[in-house]
Amino acid sequence: MGAENPETAKPNAEGATYEDNAAEAANEAAEASEAQQAVEAELEKFKQLAEENATRTLRAQADFDNFRRRTLKEKEEFAKYASQKLIEQLLPVVDNFERALATSKETKDYDALAKGVEMIFRQLDGVLSNEGLQRMEAVGTPFNPEFHQAIMQVESEEHEEGIVVEEVQKGYMLKEKVLRPAMVKVSS
């Protein structure tokens, strides 16, 4: 070993030399450096995790936006063509009306025209019934403002008060919903 520096070889108050203190400080610095590297490595790991989560969030948001746009488009498309089925069922009725009008112009047989129009009416009524349209029966029933629109009160000896005595315009229901209330005269 070489010559020692007399100042570094002197023990301090605890009995350690300056060389011991320097070595201990170097060890502490190395441990602090390792701890800092471990913290930095963990910090980097969490940064990557945060970036991955941000990317996932952006993808999920983009997927949701695409889903919302697609759903809105489908909804608009459905609303645009919702009546297609009904119109397809009504086209034969229109065809029959055209045939009846053309035939009546040629033959002038109004009895045959009336019979044809009656048949077409039954065909139209069948199409509408298949779609859930029902006529309301109003005459003889108690007045109900949910189903009836009173346009007049009339004196009636054969009906008690509040009973529909005459139907001026038919009322219709579409499945369970009132489509048009019946216009009625009610006994007073």
PDB file of all heavy atoms in Angstrom, residues 132-153:
ATOM      1  N   GLY A 132    -103.703  -3.331 -38.182  1.00  0.00           N
ATOM      2  CA  GLY A 132    -104.086  -3.026 -36.809  1.00  0.00           C
ATOM      3  C   GLY A 132    -105.094  -1.904 -36.662  1.00  0.00           C
ATOM      4  O   GLY A 132    -105.369  -1.461 -35.553  1.00  0.00           O
ATOM      5  N   LEU A 133    -105.662  -1.431 -37.761  1.00  0.00           N
ATOM      6  CA  LEU A 133    -106.664  -0.368 -37.687  1.00  0.00           C
ATOM      7  C   LEU A 133    -108.019  -0.983 -37.350  1.00  0.00           C
ATOM      8  O   LEU A 133    -108.435  -1.965 -37.951  1.00  0.00           O
ATOM      9  CB  LEU A 133    -106.754   0.381 -39.022  1.00  0.00           C
ATOM     10  CG  LEU A 133    -107.655   1.608 -39.012  1.00  0.00           C
ATOM     11  CD1 LEU A 133    -107.014   2.722 -38.185  1.00  0.00           C
ATOM     12  CD2 LEU A 133    -107.912   2.090 -40.426  1.00  0.00           C
ATOM     13  N   GLN A 134    -108.694  -0.396 -36.347  1.00  0.00           N
ATOM     14  CA  GLN A 134    -110.008  -0.892 -35.926  1.00  0.00           C
ATOM     15  C   GLN A 134    -110.965   0.284 -35.821  1.00  0.00           C
ATOM     16  O   GLN A 134    -110.594   1.350 -35.359  1.00  0.00           O
ATOM     17  CB  GLN A 134    -109.917  -1.543 -34.545  1.00  0.00           C
ATOM     18  CG  GLN A 134    -108.868  -2.600 -34.393  1.00  0.00           C
ATOM     19  CD  GLN A 134    -108.621  -2.891 -32.920  1.00  0.00           C
ATOM     20  OE1 GLN A 134    -109.509  -2.774 -32.092  1.00  0.00           O
ATOM     21  NE2 GLN A 134    -107.397  -3.260 -32.585  1.00  0.00           N
ATOM     22  N   ARG A 135    -112.206   0.052 -36.223  1.00  0.00           N
ATOM     23  CA  ARG A 135    -113.253   1.064 -36.020  1.00  0.00           C
ATOM     24  C   ARG A 135    -113.742   0.973 -34.584  1.00  0.00           C
ATOM     25  O   ARG A 135    -113.859  -0.112 -34.030  1.00  0.00           O
ATOM     26  CB  ARG A 135    -114.441   0.793 -36.945  1.00  0.00           C
ATOM     27  CG  ARG A 135    -114.242   1.303 -38.319  1.00  0.00           C
ATOM     28  CD  ARG A 135    -115.547   1.158 -39.124  1.00  0.00           C
ATOM     29  NE  ARG A 135    -115.225   1.108 -40.526  1.00  0.00           N
ATOM     30  CZ  ARG A 135    -114.893   0.021 -41.201  1.00  0.00           C
ATOM     31  NH1 ARG A 135    -114.869  -1.144 -40.603  1.00  0.00           N
ATOM     32  NH2 ARG A 135    -114.582   0.079 -42.467  1.00  0.00           N
ATOM     33  N   MET A 136    -114.035   2.132 -34.000  1.00  0.00           N
ATOM     34  CA  MET A 136    -114.599   2.140 -32.650  1.00  0.00           C
ATOM     35  C   MET A 136    -116.112   2.093 -32.768  1.00  0.00           C
ATOM     36  O   MET A 136    -116.694   2.765 -33.618  1.00  0.00           O
ATOM     37  CB  MET A 136    -114.206   3.441 -31.924  1.00  0.00           C
ATOM     38  CG  MET A 136    -112.788   3.498 -31.477  1.00  0.00           C
ATOM     39  SD  MET A 136    -112.560   4.922 -30.408  1.00  0.00           S
ATOM     40  CE  MET A 136    -111.602   5.963 -31.466  1.00  0.00           C
ATOM     41  N   GLU A 137    -116.717   1.299 -31.917  1.00  0.00           N
ATOM     42  CA  GLU A 137    -118.170   1.265 -31.817  1.00  0.00           C
ATOM     43  C   GLU A 137    -118.565   2.284 -30.756  1.00  0.00           C
ATOM     44  O   GLU A 137    -118.212   2.129 -29.594  1.00  0.00           O
ATOM     45  CB  GLU A 137    -118.659  -0.138 -31.462  1.00  0.00           C
ATOM     46  CG  GLU A 137    -118.344  -1.178 -32.514  1.00  0.00           C
ATOM     47  CD  GLU A 137    -118.972  -0.877 -33.864  1.00  0.00           C
ATOM     48  OE1 GLU A 137    -120.114  -0.350 -33.908  1.00  0.00           O
ATOM     49  OE2 GLU A 137    -118.314  -1.152 -34.884  1.00  0.00           O
ATOM     50  N   ALA A 138    -119.287   3.318 -31.161  1.00  0.00           N
ATOM     51  CA  ALA A 138    -119.584   4.400 -30.225  1.00  0.00           C
ATOM     52  C   ALA A 138    -121.052   4.441 -29.810  1.00  0.00           C
ATOM     53  O   ALA A 138    -121.360   4.714 -28.647  1.00  0.00           O
ATOM     54  CB  ALA A 138    -119.176   5.736 -30.842  1.00  0.00           C
ATOM     55  N   VAL A 139    -121.967   4.192 -30.743  1.00  0.00           N
ATOM     56  CA  VAL A 139    -123.393   4.354 -30.455  1.00  0.00           C
ATOM     57  C   VAL A 139    -123.822   3.383 -29.356  1.00  0.00           C
ATOM     58  O   VAL A 139    -123.539   2.193 -29.412  1.00  0.00           O
ATOM     59  CB  VAL A 139    -124.243   4.145 -31.730  1.00  0.00           C
ATOM     60  CG1 VAL A 139    -125.723   4.222 -31.418  1.00  0.00           C
ATOM     61  CG2 VAL A 139    -123.863   5.165 -32.789  1.00  0.00           C
ATOM     62  N   GLY A 140    -124.497   3.946 -28.336  1.00  0.00           N
ATOM     63  CA  GLY A 140    -125.004   3.141 -27.226  1.00  0.00           C
ATOM     64  C   GLY A 140    -124.021   2.974 -26.080  1.00  0.00           C
ATOM     65  O   GLY A 140    -124.346   2.364 -25.070  1.00  0.00           O
ATOM     66  N   THR A 141    -122.823   3.487 -26.229  1.00  0.00           N
ATOM     67  CA  THR A 141    -121.821   3.373 -25.158  1.00  0.00           C
ATOM     68  C   THR A 141    -121.775   4.678 -24.366  1.00  0.00           C
ATOM     69  O   THR A 141    -122.134   5.735 -24.885  1.00  0.00           O
ATOM     70  CB  THR A 141    -120.417   3.086 -25.730  1.00  0.00           C
ATOM     71  OG1 THR A 141    -120.008   4.179 -26.546  1.00  0.00           O
ATOM     72  CG2 THR A 141    -120.393   1.802 -26.526  1.00  0.00           C
ATOM     73  N   PRO A 142    -121.333   4.631 -23.125  1.00  0.00           N
ATOM     74  CA  PRO A 142    -121.189   5.873 -22.355  1.00  0.00           C
ATOM     75  C   PRO A 142    -120.125   6.776 -22.981  1.00  0.00           C
ATOM     76  O   PRO A 142    -119.122   6.296 -23.505  1.00  0.00           O
ATOM     77  CB  PRO A 142    -120.740   5.406 -20.971  1.00  0.00           C
ATOM     78  CG  PRO A 142    -121.073   3.958 -20.911  1.00  0.00           C
ATOM     79  CD  PRO A 142    -121.050   3.447 -22.322  1.00  0.00           C
ATOM     80  N   PHE A 143    -120.366   8.072 -22.941  1.00  0.00           N
ATOM     81  CA  PHE A 143    -119.414   9.030 -23.488  1.00  0.00           C
ATOM     82  C   PHE A 143    -118.088   8.935 -22.733  1.00  0.00           C
ATOM     83  O   PHE A 143    -118.050   8.916 -21.514  1.00  0.00           O
ATOM     84  CB  PHE A 143    -119.970  10.457 -23.375  1.00  0.00           C
ATOM     85  CG  PHE A 143    -118.993  11.497 -23.828  1.00  0.00           C
ATOM     86  CD1 PHE A 143    -118.750  11.694 -25.176  1.00  0.00           C
ATOM     87  CD2 PHE A 143    -118.295  12.267 -22.915  1.00  0.00           C
ATOM     88  CE1 PHE A 143    -117.831  12.650 -25.605  1.00  0.00           C
ATOM     89  CE2 PHE A 143    -117.384  13.215 -23.325  1.00  0.00           C
ATOM     90  CZ  PHE A 143    -117.154  13.408 -24.678  1.00  0.00           C
ATOM     91  N   ASN A 144    -116.996   8.829 -23.475  1.00  0.00           N
ATOM     92  CA  ASN A 144    -115.654   8.761 -22.904  1.00  0.00           C
ATOM     93  C   ASN A 144    -114.784   9.737 -23.698  1.00  0.00           C
ATOM     94  O   ASN A 144    -114.553   9.535 -24.888  1.00  0.00           O
ATOM     95  CB  ASN A 144    -115.099   7.344 -23.014  1.00  0.00           C
ATOM     96  CG  ASN A 144    -113.740   7.197 -22.363  1.00  0.00           C
ATOM     97  OD1 ASN A 144    -113.033   8.176 -22.141  1.00  0.00           O
ATOM     98  ND2 ASN A 144    -113.363   5.972 -22.078  1.00  0.00           N
ATOM     99  N   PRO A 145    -114.305  10.815 -23.063  1.00  0.00           N
ATOM    100  CA  PRO A 145    -113.521  11.813 -23.805  1.00  0.00           C
ATOM    101  C   PRO A 145    -112.216  11.279 -24.393  1.00  0.00           C
ATOM    102  O   PRO A 145    -111.641  11.906 -25.265  1.00  0.00           O
ATOM    103  CB  PRO A 145    -113.240  12.902 -22.761  1.00  0.00           C
ATOM    104  CG  PRO A 145    -113.492  12.288 -21.444  1.00  0.00           C
ATOM    105  CD  PRO A 145    -114.444  11.155 -21.652  1.00  0.00           C
ATOM    106  N   GLU A 146    -111.757  10.122 -23.950  1.00  0.00           N
ATOM    107  CA  GLU A 146    -110.556   9.531 -24.541  1.00  0.00           C
ATOM    108  C   GLU A 146    -110.841   8.923 -25.915  1.00  0.00           C
ATOM    109  O   GLU A 146    -109.945   8.811 -26.735  1.00  0.00           O
ATOM    110  CB  GLU A 146    -109.984   8.459 -23.619  1.00  0.00           C
ATOM    111  CG  GLU A 146    -109.414   9.014 -22.327  1.00  0.00           C
ATOM    112  CD  GLU A 146    -108.841   7.930 -21.429  1.00  0.00           C
ATOM    113  OE1 GLU A 146    -108.548   6.825 -21.938  1.00  0.00           O
ATOM    114  OE2 GLU A 146    -108.692   8.196 -20.236  1.00  0.00           O
ATOM    115  N   PHE A 147    -112.117   8.526 -26.139  1.00  0.00           N
ATOM    116  CA  PHE A 147    -112.485   7.871 -27.395  1.00  0.00           C
ATOM    117  C   PHE A 147    -113.475   8.680 -28.229  1.00  0.00           C
ATOM    118  O   PHE A 147    -113.641   8.399 -29.406  1.00  0.00           O
ATOM    119  CB  PHE A 147    -113.113   6.498 -27.108  1.00  0.00           C
ATOM    120  CG  PHE A 147    -112.187   5.569 -26.378  1.00  0.00           C
ATOM    121  CD1 PHE A 147    -112.411   5.244 -25.049  1.00  0.00           C
ATOM    122  CD2 PHE A 147    -111.088   5.020 -27.005  1.00  0.00           C
ATOM    123  CE1 PHE A 147    -111.567   4.391 -24.367  1.00  0.00           C
ATOM    124  CE2 PHE A 147    -110.236   4.157 -26.327  1.00  0.00           C
ATOM    125  CZ  PHE A 147    -110.474   3.846 -25.010  1.00  0.00           C
ATOM    126  N   HIS A 148    -114.136   9.639 -27.609  1.00  0.00           N
ATOM    127  CA  HIS A 148    -115.204  10.382 -28.294  1.00  0.00           C
ATOM    128  C   HIS A 148    -114.949  11.875 -28.239  1.00  0.00           C
ATOM    129  O   HIS A 148    -114.405  12.379 -27.252  1.00  0.00           O
ATOM    130  CB  HIS A 148    -116.568  10.097 -27.646  1.00  0.00           C
ATOM    131  CG  HIS A 148    -116.874   8.635 -27.523  1.00  0.00           C
ATOM    132  ND1 HIS A 148    -117.193   8.055 -26.324  1.00  0.00           N
ATOM    133  CD2 HIS A 148    -116.883   7.630 -28.441  1.00  0.00           C
ATOM    134  CE1 HIS A 148    -117.403   6.753 -26.509  1.00  0.00           C
ATOM    135  NE2 HIS A 148    -117.220   6.477 -27.785  1.00  0.00           N
ATOM    136  N   GLN A 149    -115.403  12.541 -29.292  1.00  0.00           N
ATOM    137  CA  GLN A 149    -115.388  14.000 -29.318  1.00  0.00           C
ATOM    138  C   GLN A 149    -116.848  14.428 -29.472  1.00  0.00           C
ATOM    139  O   GLN A 149    -117.447  14.231 -30.526  1.00  0.00           O
ATOM    140  CB  GLN A 149    -114.551  14.509 -30.486  1.00  0.00           C
ATOM    141  CG  GLN A 149    -114.508  16.009 -30.583  1.00  0.00           C
ATOM    142  CD  GLN A 149    -113.662  16.471 -31.767  1.00  0.00           C
ATOM    143  OE1 GLN A 149    -113.067  15.679 -32.480  1.00  0.00           O
ATOM    144  NE2 GLN A 149    -113.650  17.761 -31.976  1.00  0.00           N
ATOM    145  N   ALA A 150    -117.395  15.006 -28.404  1.00  0.00           N
ATOM    146  CA  ALA A 150    -118.800  15.415 -28.422  1.00  0.00           C
ATOM    147  C   ALA A 150    -118.925  16.703 -29.224  1.00  0.00           C
ATOM    148  O   ALA A 150    -118.227  17.681 -28.969  1.00  0.00           O
ATOM    149  CB  ALA A 150    -119.311  15.619 -27.008  1.00  0.00           C
ATOM    150  N   ILE A 151    -119.837  16.693 -30.205  1.00  0.00           N
ATOM    151  CA  ILE A 151    -120.059  17.915 -30.976  1.00  0.00           C
ATOM    152  C   ILE A 151    -121.425  18.517 -30.668  1.00  0.00           C
ATOM    153  O   ILE A 151    -121.691  19.657 -31.027  1.00  0.00           O
ATOM    154  CB  ILE A 151    -119.922  17.663 -32.493  1.00  0.00           C
ATOM    155  CG1 ILE A 151    -120.911  16.595 -32.964  1.00  0.00           C
ATOM    156  CG2 ILE A 151    -118.498  17.290 -32.835  1.00  0.00           C
ATOM    157  CD1 ILE A 151    -121.001  16.479 -34.463  1.00  0.00           C
ATOM    158  N   MET A 152    -122.263  17.718 -29.978  1.00  0.00           N
ATOM    159  CA  MET A 152    -123.600  18.212 -29.678  1.00  0.00           C
ATOM    160  C   MET A 152    -124.229  17.350 -28.583  1.00  0.00           C
ATOM    161  O   MET A 152    -123.944  16.162 -28.480  1.00  0.00           O
ATOM    162  CB  MET A 152    -124.458  18.125 -30.956  1.00  0.00           C
ATOM    163  CG  MET A 152    -125.845  18.677 -30.829  1.00  0.00           C
ATOM    164  SD  MET A 152    -126.799  18.439 -32.356  1.00  0.00           S
ATOM    165  CE  MET A 152    -125.898  19.480 -33.494  1.00  0.00           C
ATOM    166  N   GLN A 153    -125.093  17.991 -27.784  1.00  0.00           N
ATOM    167  CA  GLN A 153    -125.903  17.245 -26.827  1.00  0.00           C
ATOM    168  C   GLN A 153    -127.335  17.281 -27.335  1.00  0.00           C
ATOM    169  O   GLN A 153    -127.811  18.323 -27.780  1.00  0.00           O
ATOM    170  CB  GLN A 153    -125.835  17.865 -25.435  1.00  0.00           C
ATOM    171  CG  GLN A 153    -124.561  17.538 -24.701  1.00  0.00           C
ATOM    172  CD  GLN A 153    -124.640  17.940 -23.242  1.00  0.00           C
ATOM    173  OE1 GLN A 153    -125.303  18.904 -22.892  1.00  0.00           O
ATOM    174  NE2 GLN A 153    -123.963  17.186 -22.395  1.00  0.00           N
TER     175      GLN A 153
END
